[in-house]
């Protein structure tokens, strides 16, 4: 009921967000290995499962709210969901940089 009151109805946002948050809790507790993970096919570049789960949850949030005609609220919520996972870091020149996959998701 609370989920529907918050504007979601596609059914994708809640399970994806909970999976992402549960993965973060398990990783923090040392029960799940941290990044990077190799792709299942053994080829390509390594991926961070936590990053992929968080991006999937953000996409679920966007689609759920867009389905209700509340796309701007969905964007706002998706960005708020991603920001704690993307603390800024400084490169060798002192410039602020974010994790590239999160930065591109927030910018788009």
């Amino acid at each position: 009921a609370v989920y529907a009151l918050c504007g979601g109805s596609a059914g994708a946002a809640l399970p994806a967000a909970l999976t992402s948050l549960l993965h973060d809790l398990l990783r923090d507790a040392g029960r799940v290995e941290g990044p990077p993970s190799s792709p299942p096919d053994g080829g390509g570049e390594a991926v961070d499962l936590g990053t992929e789960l968080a991006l999937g949850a953000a996409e679920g949030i966007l689609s759920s709210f867009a389905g209700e005609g509340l796309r701007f609220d969905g964007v706002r919520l998706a960005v708020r969901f991603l920001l704690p996972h993307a603390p800024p870091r400084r490169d060798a020149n002192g410039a602020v940089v974010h994790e590239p996959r999160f930065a591109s998701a927030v910018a788009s």
Side-chain angles (χ1 to χ4, degrees), residues 20-92:
S20 176
L21 294 172
L22 181 60
H23 177 268
D24 289 343
L25 289 172
L26 290 172
R27 184 167 48 191
D28 291 347
R31 301 292 184 177
V32 174
E33 247 183 67
S37 304
S38 18
D41 61 4
E45 66 182 73
V47 297
D48 176 354
L49 180 59
T51 299
E52 295 303 316
L53 289 172
L55 288 172
E59 290 172 5
I61 291 168
L62 290 172
S63 68
S64 182
F65 278 81
E68 292 294 311
L70 301 168
R71 67 174 185 254
F72 295 115
D73 294 327
V75 168
R76 190 176 308 120
L77 184 58
V79 168
R80 289 189 62 146
F81 183 82
L82 291 175
L83 283 179
H85 300 282
R89 293 182 219 126
R90 299 213 177 256
D91 65 8

Side-chain angles (χ1 to χ4, degrees), residues 1-15:
V2 172
Y3 176 63
L5 288 174
C6 291
S9 69
L14 185 60

